């Protein structure tokens, strides 16, 4: 158990088999995510640090977004694809004076770091897991920006950051922020934020991400989607003006030829069993063959589960999707972001 996890347990959190403590008040946490302001434990994520004289050029040639466009203190959604254009990871990329930070799910971090390192060759690039040195937190809600300004001096603009006393806050939008705090300072910062926000586990934060349409690739969904299937270009995670990167030709062809048969939508699923990333969904267009896949799912404040699902566009149009089997729980489509009229 890390010192951070031990701190949360000392505050009443319950240790779990996954290593991410359960803060023990799921219903209240989800209600606060919907109606109030939350400070969330994000220790289910890992933090990679990429440094070196060639770091910018190297990452620009690997990732889906325009890394060269980042200025110090700015961030972007980004992805890494296989040679077949399938996402191996999606993550928040943040540029600081001492290099780049990638915040991504812990269950893919080691494989991503290892595979990326294989491409470094003679480049002056170092990739290091620095998760033990930092604690990631989520901070979100209608009053989050005001509270952030008190704590950090001012509220950053979307996809910009502010640093104070070694900690940084990165704005994802007007109401959602990621905080990276040095491990030794994190408990005191958590205590100060907790005075103004409901402390929560990761589910409340992931529910906010689902509502925002942000896809998270985990081990169970690696290589399942080209970026556009997961609407990743719609949240600014893909640049179509940069140079080559692994899978770029396929991603570009998908964009400009309009050959996409699957898209991501936000859905609600009733029932008491939680859907898991990578589980299949079924529709009427393909019979017993899976029509898509769960990207992420969390308990919903009103009961049941909210999920992001990638599925056949025809089945999304028909509203015919069911989870886990052709006669499983029905998916009620709640939101389908419209793709741009032109690329």
């Amino acid at each position: 158990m890390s010192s951070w996890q031990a701190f949360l347990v000392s505050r009443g959190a319950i240790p779990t088999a996954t290593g991410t403590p359960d803060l023990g008040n799921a219903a209240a946490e989800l209600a606060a995510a919907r109606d109030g302001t939350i400070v969330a434990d994000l220790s289910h994520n890992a933090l990679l640090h990429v440094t070196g004289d060639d770091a910018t050029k190297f990452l620009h040639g690997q990732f889906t977004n325009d890394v060269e466009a980042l200025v110090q203190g700015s961030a972007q959604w980004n992805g890494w694809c296989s040679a077949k254009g399938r996402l191996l990871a999606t993550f928040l990329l943040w540029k600081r004076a001492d290099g780049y930070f990638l915040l991504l799910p812990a269950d893919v971090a080691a494989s991503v770091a290892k595979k990326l390192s294989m491409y470094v060759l003679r480049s002056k690039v170092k990739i290091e897991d620095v998760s033990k040195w930092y604690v990631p937190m989520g901070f979100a809600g209608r009053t989050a920006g005001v509270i952030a300004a008190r704590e950090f001096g001012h509220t950053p603009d979307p996809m910009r950051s502010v640093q104070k006393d070694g900690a940084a806050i990165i704005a994802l939008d007007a109401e959602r922020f990621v905080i990276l705090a040095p491990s030794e300072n994190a408990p005191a910062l958590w205590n100060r934020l907790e005075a103004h926000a409901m402390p929560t586990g990761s589910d409340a934060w992931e529910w906010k991400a689902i509502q925002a349409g942000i896809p998270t690739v985990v081990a169970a969904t690696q290589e399942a989607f080209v970026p556009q299937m997961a609407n990743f270009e719609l949240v600014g995670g893909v640049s179509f003006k940069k140079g080559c990167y692994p899978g770029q030709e396929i991603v570009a062809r998908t964009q400009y030829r309009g050959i996409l048969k699957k898209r991501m939508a936000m859905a609600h699923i009733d029932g008491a069993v939680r859907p898991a990333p990578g589980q299949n969904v079924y529709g009427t267009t393909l019979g017993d063959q899976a029509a898509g896949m769960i990207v992420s799912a969390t308990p919903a404040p009103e009961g049941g589960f909210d999920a992001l699902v990638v599925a056949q566009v025809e089945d999304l149009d028909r509203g015919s999707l069911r989870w886990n089997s052709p006669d499983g729980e029905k998916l009620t489509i709640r939101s389908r972001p419209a793709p741009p009229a032109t690329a």
Side-chain angles (χ1 to χ4, degrees):
M1 183 181 296
S2 70
S3 60
W4 172 249
Q5 292 166 343
F7 162 74
L8 292 178
V9 170
S10 74
R11 301 296 301 275
I14 304 167
T16 67
T18 64
T20 303
D22 178 358
L23 273 65
N25 200 351
E29 294 170 27
L30 289 166
R34 180 190 60 200
D35 303 324
T37 298
I38 61 170
V39 54
D41 168 41
L42 301 187
S43 58
H44 61 295
N45 288 283
L47 193 65
L48 302 181
H49 191 202
V50 183
T51 57
D53 292 344
D54 297 330
T56 299
K57 181 179 179 181
F58 173 74
L59 296 182
H60 187 76
Q62 292 294 324
F63 295 163
T64 60
N65 215 336
D66 188 351
V67 177
E68 292 181 349
L70 283 176
V71 298
Q72 185 175 324
S74 63
Q76 61 186 198
W77 293 114
N78 219 316
W80 191 38
C81 291
S82 69
K84 295 181 179 180
R86 300 279 171 146
L87 283 166
L88 297 167
T90 55
F91 47 87
L92 184 68
L93 181 68
W94 174 50
K95 183 176 183 180
R96 207 170 72 166
D98 58 348
Y100 296 87
F101 286 86
L102 286 72
L103 184 69
L104 72 171
D107 75 341
V108 301
S111 65
V112 168
K114 181 178 180 180
K115 290 178 181 178
L116 267 179
S117 296
M118 294 172 59
Y119 293 96
V120 169
L121 302 177
R122 297 180 181 179
S123 299
K124 295 179 180 179
V125 176
K126 181 179 181 181
I127 302 168
E128 183 181 12
D129 189 321
V130 295
S131 303
K132 65 180 179 180
W133 304 114
Y134 293 89
V135 170
M137 306 175 194
F139 193 51
R142 296 185 184 92
T143 63
V146 174
I147 299 166
R150 295 173 189 164
E151 182 65 39
F152 288 89
H154 68 89
T155 305
D157 293 329
M159 289 301 177
R160 296 291 186 271
S161 66
V162 175
Q163 292 182 250
K164 182 181 178 182
D165 299 332
I169 183 168
I170 306 163
L172 304 182
D173 53 41
E175 295 189 359
R176 294 186 305 129
F177 304 85
V178 167
I179 297 172
L180 300 175
S183 298
E184 63 274 16
N185 299 340
L189 178 57
W190 178 273
N191 287 339
R192 292 196 299 273
L193 295 175
E194 186 181 5
H196 307 283
M198 176 79 177
T200 78
S202 59
D203 277 350
W205 178 258
E206 293 302 321
W207 182 81
K208 298 287 284 187
I210 286 173
Q211 305 308 304
I214 306 298
T216 301
V217 170
V218 296
T221 55
Q222 283 185 305
E223 299 193 66
F225 322 116
V226 295
Q228 294 96 323
M229 286 183 188
N231 296 346
F232 203 46
E233 87 283 19
L234 303 185
V235 298
V238 183
S239 170
F240 296 102
K241 297 180 180 180
K242 60 172 288 183
C244 293
Y245 56 86
Q248 182 267 342
E249 182 178 348
I250 293 170
V251 175
R253 187 186 308 132
T254 300
Q255 185 72 7
Y256 296 118
R257 291 188 180 179
I259 58 176
L260 200 62
K261 295 184 179 180
K262 291 182 178 180
R263 270 287 186 182
M264 190 176 75
M266 198 272 277
H268 182 79
I269 305 169
D270 288 326
V273 180
R274 179 172 182 163
Q279 289 182 328
N280 289 331
V281 297
Y282 297 81
T284 58
T285 60
L286 300 179
D288 291 341
Q289 182 180 344
M293 182 180 291
I294 298 291
V295 180
S296 57
T298 62
E302 71 274 18
F305 303 90
D306 285 342
L308 293 176
V309 56
V310 168
Q312 291 282 332
V313 172
E314 288 185 42
D315 286 308
L316 293 174
D317 290 341
R318 295 175 181 178
S320 61
L321 291 168
R322 293 184 178 271
W323 164 60
N324 219 21
S325 71
D327 58 353
E329 291 283 355
K330 184 178 179 180
L331 279 71
T332 301
I333 304 301
R334 293 278 180 84
S335 175
R336 290 179 61 189
T342 58

